[in-house]
Every structure is written in C-alpha cells, then in structure tokens.
Amino acid sequence: MSTVVTFDEFGGPEKLRVDDEHVADPGPGQVRVANRVVGVNPADLKRLSGAFGGKVPAVLGFEAAGVVDAVGPDVADLAPGDDVLWNGTGAQRALSVVSVEQVRRRPASVPAELAAVLPVAAATAFSALVQADVSEGDVVLLHGASGGVGTAAVQIAQALGARVVGTASEPNHDYLRDLGATPVAYGSGLVDAVRALPDGLGEVDVVIDLVGTDETIAATLDLLHGRTTSDDGAPRAVTITGGETSSAAGITDKTDARGALDEVLALAEAGRLRVPVQTFPLAEAADALRLVAGGHVRGKVVLTVD
Ligand SMILES: NC(=O)c1ccc[n+]([C@@H]2O[C@H](COP(=O)([O-])OP(=O)(O)OC[C@H]3O[C@@H](n4cnc5c(N)ncnc54)[C@H](OP(=O)(O)O)[C@@H]3O)[C@@H](O)[C@H]2O)c1
C-alpha cells in the first residue's frame, strides 16, 4: 500500500485526509514514479474549492519530481532508477502511474526541489514572457514578483535580455534585488514610484500581471500608456489570472504553458533558475495549502515524500 492525500468533497484544506491506496503496475506507455517532491500551487486550492469542476473523491497536485519505480511493457526510454519530473493531475501521493509523454528526465544538476516546481510556475512564467514577446533591452514590470511564478519570471525575463522591475511588499525587496530585479512596493503610489526609477526603468515596455487586481490592471494601463507597440493597439501586457476587467482593458490572457517545460528545464540545467522552497511532509499537505492560501509565499511551497 502507498500513501495518498485525498478529499471526498469540495471545500478548503480541512477537507484533505491522508489515506492508503493500492497503486497498479504501469500499463503500455506508462511508468510508475516514486514521487520525492510535489509542487503546491494556488491552482490546488481552486481545484479543492470546486472552481475547476471535476469529480470527487480526488487527489490534488499538478507536478512532481521523483524516481522511476517501474516501467510499462513497451517503454524503452526510461528505466527503474531514472530521476524524472512530471506534469499532470493527482500528484499528492507517494506513487503515481503516468504516461511517458508527461515525464522528463531530471538532469543531475537540477535538484528535485527545483524540478518539481518547473511544470507550473516556471513554465507559466516562460509562456507569459514569450507571449509578450519580451526581448533584449525591454523593461518588464512584474506585478507579484516574489511568489512562485514571479520568482521564475524575474530570472527568465533577464535570460531573455530584459531588465526587470518587480512589485512586492517591503520584506521581499532584498529578495528581488538578489534575483536581479528592481523592487517597488505595490499599493497606492506604485505608478509614481515606477515612473521615478532611474536609468530608464520607469519607461516600462511590457507588463506581466501575476496578481490581477483592479489596482494592478489600472497601473498596467497607466504605465503602458503611449508605449503600446502591438499591431492592434492593445497594451503590451499579459495576465496569468484572467478575469473580465483584464480582458475589457485589452490585456491578453496567457495561453497554455505545456510547451514551455522543455525550455525552463534547459534554463534550470544551465544554472539560470533558482527557486527557494518551503517544505512540508506529504501528510501535512493541508498546512502547506493554508500557507499558499495566505497569498504571501516567497518562492514556492513543496511537499516531500519519505
Ligand atoms: N494561468 C496560469 O496558467 C497560472 C499558472 C500559475 C499560477 N496562476 C495564478 O497566478 C497567480 C500567482 O501565482 P503564484 O503561484 O505566483 O502565487 P503565489 O506564489 O502564491 O504568490 C504569492 C506572492 O504574491 C505576492 N502578492 C500578493 N499580493 C500582491 C499584490 N497585491 N501585488 C503584488 N504582489 C502581491 C506576494 O508578495 P508579498 O508577500 O511581498 O505581498 C507573494 O510573494 C495565482 O492567482 C495563480 O492561481 C495562473
């Protein structure tokens, strides 16, 4: 038997319970992975709340890093003992059977704690920046730069040649400086504070909104006013939180992140991505989700499996 964190009805973290499950042998095209680190994301809270629909009972978790434990009859490219990461649903368990298409090899230079958070946060950051066509010399403003997606976005934007201004609360300003961004406090005064930055940083070319409040949307429009470069006259801005106010303002929604996983894995292997993580044992997934629900995580939260 193997450990799983499951829930029988929609709600909050209190609905999670730890259970045992029998995990089947992998079939054709599948491998079984012994998960070592499981990424925790705001999307887990949305799935748990019922906002994504789907059936219950269910298991949270969209990403993990671990070791191949068994391979299906026709799987030639992977073998037991291989270090891997994978992207899919139901990762909050000790053993997962997944399709080989969901799996990537984990390079030796990429720690499991980093590999486990690449499929959602880092791939989302990459997709949003590429969708906004960020390139050499751009000044990119990131709303919400110190969280999971933000931490990756600060580094990926710089890898694309941009200079980064990132919003965060004061206690996270040194953290952002250490990542190479220029920090600015969010809240009233944000627009003026950005405009007052030296060395041309106040002339923002692109905004990536990782927060999606009325305040971030208004600041985006203010700061990009007159600097719209896309053919259709829309602001050069991408949001990852969606919403009617953003789309009414002409801010584009980020589209699917799946193609970005190989790109961010390459950046991680090249040593260009680091993400600090706070760890909880798998059995304490509810506490990990409570921390994420607070909305002030620096870097990422992950679960570890013994
Ligand atoms: N569309 C997609 O594919 C996709 C993928 C991943 C995530 N998302 C969504 O994107 C959002 C961010 O995800 P995440 O994983 O980065 O979340 P996260 O790690 O929980 O973000 C926490 C960070 O947000 C910052 N923050 C909170 N309120 C802020 C505000 N008003 N202005 C600026 N920063 C603020 C906090 O900084 P301080 O502590 O300094 O306040 C903290 O560092 C979530 O809504 C998530 O659901 C969408």
Side-chain angles (χ1 to χ4, degrees):
M1 296 296 269
S2 168
T3 306
V4 62
V5 178
T6 186
F7 59 104
D8 303 307
E9 50 187 37
F10 295 124
E14 74 285 351
K15 298 293 183 189
L16 297 182
R17 64 181 174 81
V18 180
D19 207 347
D20 290 327
E21 65 176 353
H22 171 74
V23 178
D25 289 336
Q30 294 180 324
V31 297
R32 190 169 61 206
V33 179
N35 297 317
R36 292 284 174 258
V37 185
V38 180
V40 181
N41 291 285
D44 291 312
L45 286 158
K46 292 177 189 164
R47 172 75 175 96
L48 178 58
S49 74
F52 290 169
K55 292 181 181 159
V56 286
V59 177
L60 298 177
F62 293 97
E63 54 186 355
V67 180
V68 174
D69 162 78
V71 300
D74 59 347
V75 174
D77 298 343
L78 290 164
D82 286 347
D83 290 322
V84 294
L85 60 144
W86 64 273
N87 188 197
T89 53
Q92 289 192 3
R93 48 176 31 114
L95 284 176
S96 293
V97 174
V98 293
S99 150
V100 289
E101 284 85 38
Q102 296 170 256
V103 176
R104 300 288 184 281
R105 282 180 185 281
R106 174 169 70 85
S109 63
V110 180
E113 288 76 10
L114 175 58
V117 304
L118 295 177
V120 178
T124 297
F126 185 92
S127 299
L129 290 159
V130 168
Q131 195 170 317
D133 203 19
V134 168
S135 58
E136 195 74 34
D138 279 335
V139 174
V140 177
L141 171 68
L142 300 173
H143 290 295
S146 54
V149 180
T151 294
V154 168
Q155 297 167 82
I156 296 167
Q158 290 174 98
L160 294 169
R163 293 190 294 157
V164 178
V165 177
T167 72
S169 62
E170 196 75 37
N172 281 324
H173 284 195
D174 279 347
Y175 171 74
L176 290 184
R177 278 188 199 96
D178 186 52
L179 292 175
T182 298
V184 175
Y186 55 79
S188 64
L190 166 63
V191 169
D192 288 342
V194 173
R195 284 200 179 119
L197 291 171
D199 304 324
L201 284 170
E203 294 178 20
V204 174
D205 298 298
V206 181
V207 178
I208 308 293
D209 192 348
L210 314 176
V211 178
T213 59
D214 288 352
E215 179 184 275
T216 61
I217 294 163
T220 297
L221 298 181
D222 261 13
L223 287 164
L224 287 178
H225 186 70
R227 265 188 281 278
T228 300
T229 56
S230 51
D231 296 340
D232 58 3
R236 206 171 151 206
V238 171
T239 179
I240 68 163
T241 62
E244 283 175 20
T245 316
S246 278
S247 59
I251 297 171
T252 316
D253 276 0
K254 182 205 70 70
T255 50
D256 204 325
R258 272 174 286 186
L261 180 54
D262 292 315
E263 307 275 0
V264 293
L265 191 51
L267 283 172
E269 189 174 13
R272 304 201 67 171
L273 264 183
R274 58 193 159 103
V275 180
V277 297
Q278 295 179 65
T279 62
F280 290 77
L282 176 64
E284 293 173 20
D287 286 339
L289 278 172
R290 286 186 188 99
L291 180 60
V292 172
H296 295 286
V297 169
R298 176 188 291 176
K300 288 293 300 178
V301 171
V302 299
L303 305 175
T304 54
V305 187
D306 292 332

